[in-house]
């Protein structure tokens, strides 16, 4: 039986040590720009989403692969401090821990990121076979696409075998087979990812609805297309609905989508209706962009509650 207060969420995903440079603006091709600061943050889509869910009250287990290096040590320590179960994380002696090089435009808050996956790509379907009991005993499985695609497919099939709902955040953007998509419970693309998956250019509410419908036709049960400051379009076989975003000041957009996905996972695993769950996730995303860094920017459940109460007031 699901513990609605503290659902068991399994995250199979990536670890990235984010090396963040802040600049007055992103340089043009061939141009050198003097940066204003450099900082290092533990991150990666998988780790970010795991921490987001843990800070919001879930019992989280993180699975993936790190290198035998200082970044790997720092990453595992960061997750342990969040109360995340890390005993199933593997270490690879032949590959480095993943690294993300982030250039942050301090004027707009937008960013450009180059990722070197390293050990993330060495977690295999054979490794997954060792945690089948963990999958079986989870209330929800979260996945992203910073890992070997064969592993993602095997994880979705294993979750289906044990009737465990799956949230797939299809990022970084790439095309996916319909045979995979039809096994996904919740798909959470942004505008670019939705366009790659459907061929529909998402530029407004109407095009978002068309893209959502195209994804539903692939067999996905529930679609949530994130639309930045416009909010999120949700759709299932019965209806579509735009859940508006919250207005906020943008400092850094890194991990906003990951915070959103972690929050969505917790809310739906707790049995929250999807529109309300997405509103909660929008609140988390709004808080994330007001802070610098990936994991350091992710809010607690108390912070989100206070934020939502302020919106009502």
């Amino acid at each position: 039986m699901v513990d609605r207060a503290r659902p068991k969420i399994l995250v199979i995903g990536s670890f990235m040590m984010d090396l963040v440079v802040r600049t007055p603006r992103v340089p043009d091709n061939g141009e050198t720009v003097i940066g204003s600061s450099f900082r290092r943050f533990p991150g990666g889509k998988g780790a970010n989403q795991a921490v987001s869910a843990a800070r919001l009250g879930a019992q989280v287990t993180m699975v993936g692969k790190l290198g035998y290096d200082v970044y790997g040590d720092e990453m595992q320590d960061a997750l342990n401090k969040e109360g995340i179960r890390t005993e199933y994380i593997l270490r690879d002696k032949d590959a480095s821990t993943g690294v993300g090089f982030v250039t942050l435009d301090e004027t707009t808050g937008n960013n450009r990121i180059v990722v070197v996956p390293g050990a993330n790509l060495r977690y295999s379907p054979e490794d997954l076979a060792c945690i089948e009991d963990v999958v079986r005993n989870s209330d929800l499985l979260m996945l992203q696409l910073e890992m070997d695609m064969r592993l993602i497919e095997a994880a979705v099939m294993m979750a289906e075998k044990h009737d465990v709902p799956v949230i797939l955040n299809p990022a970084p953007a790439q095309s996916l087979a319909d045979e995979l998509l039809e096994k996904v419970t919740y798909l959470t693309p942004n505008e670019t990812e939705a366009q790659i998956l459907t061929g529909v250019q998402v530029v407004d509410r109407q095009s978002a609805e068309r893209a959502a419908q195209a994804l539903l036709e692939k067999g996905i049960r529930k679609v949530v297309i994130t639309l930045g400051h416009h909010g999120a379009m949700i759709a299932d076989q019965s209806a579509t609905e735009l859940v508006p975003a919250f207005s906020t000041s943008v400092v850094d957009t890194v991990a906003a989508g990951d915070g959103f996905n972690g929050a969505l996972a917790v809310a739906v695993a707790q049995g929250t209706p999807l529109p309300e769950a997405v509103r909660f996730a929008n609140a988390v995303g709004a808080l994330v962009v007001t802070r610098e860094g990936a994991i350091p920017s992710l809010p607690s459940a108390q912070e989100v509650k206070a934020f939502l109460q302020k919106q009502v007031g």
Side-chain angles (χ1 to χ4, degrees), residues 41 131 144 148 250 265 303 309:
F41 301 102
I131 63 159
Q144 322 78 34
D148 187 324
V250 177
E303 289 173 315
Q309 288 176 337

Side-chain angles (χ1 to χ4, degrees), residues 56-76:
L56 297 171
Q59 302 175 69
V60 179
T61 300
M62 179 78 197
V63 172
K65 188 169 281 193
L66 295 164
Y68 276 112
D69 49 38
V70 65
Y71 289 168
D73 294 341
E74 289 181 14
M75 185 69 67
Q76 192 147 359

Side-chain angles (χ1 to χ4, degrees), residues 289-308:
V289 301
T290 65
R291 305 166 180 176
E292 188 177 6
I295 286 176
S297 71
L298 298 167
S300 67
Q302 292 75 16
E303 289 173 315
V304 180
K305 181 179 179 180
F307 177 84
L308 288 170

Side-chain angles (χ1 to χ4, degrees), residues 146-187:
E146 287 181 332
M147 303 181 82
D148 187 324
M149 200 62 227
R150 296 178 303 122
L151 177 277
I152 301 301
E153 293 167 352
V156 171
M157 290 181 65
M158 186 176 289
E160 182 186 44
K161 173 183 175 182
H162 297 294
D163 198 27
V164 175
V166 173
I167 289 183
L168 174 60
N169 177 217
Q174 60 182 283
S175 59
L176 297 172
D178 289 355
E179 293 78 10
L180 171 65
L181 292 173
E182 68 184 8
K183 296 177 173 63
V184 171
T185 317
Y186 302 89
L187 189 77

Side-chain angles (χ1 to χ4, degrees), residues 190-214:
N190 63 18
E191 302 101 313
T192 300
E193 294 149 6
Q195 179 177 346
I196 288 174
L197 291 171
T198 66
V200 177
Q201 185 175 8
V202 179
V203 295
D204 54 22
R205 176 170 182 163
Q206 290 70 33
S207 56
E209 288 179 345
R210 291 197 300 273
Q213 184 59 42

Side-chain angles (χ1 to χ4, degrees), residues 49 52-53 56 142 258-268 277 280-282 284:
Q49 292 178 17
S52 177
L56 297 171
M142 295 185 69
D258 296 331
F260 178 98
N261 276 275
L264 181 67
V266 174
V268 299
F280 176 73
N282 280 345
V284 171

